[in-house]
Amino acid sequence: MIEESVKLLVPVGVLVFTRYRANPVDGLLVGVAVGTGFAVLETLGYGFVALLASGGDLRTAEAVLLLRGVSSPAAHLAWSGVLAAALWHAHARRWRPRAVARLVAAYVLVVGLHALTDAVSGWVALVAAAAASMALLLWVTHRELVLGRRAVDGGPPARPGSGRPVPITRPSAPAPPVSPTVRLESDGRPSGAVPTDRSEA
């Protein structure tokens, strides 16, 4: 719970101090970046502790780094991405009760997955927890992208604070220039043209 709260500090700062706050996909990307960085640092810490505990045995440290290097980044980037997307969604919805409830539910789910991952051990359990977390992240990503695409491709117009991107209207191509109408005389010359043959003058 403490780790998830600490990881939320960066998304909250981005939400408050930048202009990338209208689309939940922006929050998802910020959360994924934060979770990836946190996972790298945590994995290095686990490897260092394993190296010290084993008396400098590199094989033990390598095994820990390999296990954590596969499971930890996938899990942490998924948890932070889901939580940050819910945070952006709540902000876009102007902190309405339903959006806040969704944020709280996402927080409880992420903390539960984190606690489950910390409680299990072994390759199979950790990889399964990481796969479940990534599936959750993919579902949230698909949901946000589908909603955004529907809004752009002709869905109902986005309302301010709805969290859906405003449909992009492309300017129409300019009309081709219209050539001026030229009047022709009975002999085929343009009207007002000066005759070139002296015999005609």
Side-chain angles (χ1 to χ4, degrees):
M1 182 179 293
I2 297 177
E3 291 182 4
E4 300 307 325
S5 301
V6 170
K7 285 189 292 184
L8 265 182
L9 293 178
V10 174
V12 168
V14 174
L15 184 66
V16 172
F17 296 108
T18 70
R19 59 185 178 89
Y20 299 102
R21 62 184 69 174
N23 197 330
V25 176
D26 295 333
L28 189 145
L29 293 176
V30 172
V32 165
V34 171
T36 303
F38 184 88
V40 170
L41 294 177
E42 185 184 57
T43 300
L44 292 176
Y46 272 98
F48 184 69
V49 171
L51 184 65
L52 293 180
S54 63
D57 186 4
L58 292 179
R59 292 183 179 179
T60 303
E62 287 177 357
V64 172
L65 288 175
L66 182 59
L67 176 60
R68 301 294 304 186
V70 171
S71 62
S72 182
H76 280 289
L77 70 87
W79 300 334
S80 299
V82 169
L83 194 54
L87 178 66
W88 254 250
H89 180 81
H91 175 78
R93 292 284 183 175
R94 300 182 185 275
W95 304 100
R96 295 175 183 171
R98 186 174 180 181
V100 174
R102 177 177 171 178
L103 174 60
V104 173
Y107 185 82
V108 172
L109 179 60
V110 165
V111 170
L113 287 173
H114 197 162
L116 178 63
T117 304
D118 290 341
V120 299
S121 60
W123 275 93
V124 177
L126 288 176
V127 171
S133 301
M134 286 300 298
L136 175 64
L137 176 66
L138 291 176
W139 179 79
V140 172
T141 303
H142 173 74
R143 185 176 184 276
E144 297 299 342
L145 290 178
V146 166
L147 287 178
R149 187 172 299 173
R150 284 178 182 172
V152 173
D153 291 344
R159 293 173 298 178
S162 64
R164 300 172 65 181
V166 178
I168 301 173
T169 57
R170 298 180 179 177
S172 57
V178 180
S179 58
T181 304
V182 179
R183 289 175 143 190
L184 299 178
E185 300 291 346
S186 59
D187 58 357
R189 290 182 320 193
S191 176
V194 178
T196 56
D197 192 354
R198 290 183 180 179
S199 61
E200 298 180 2

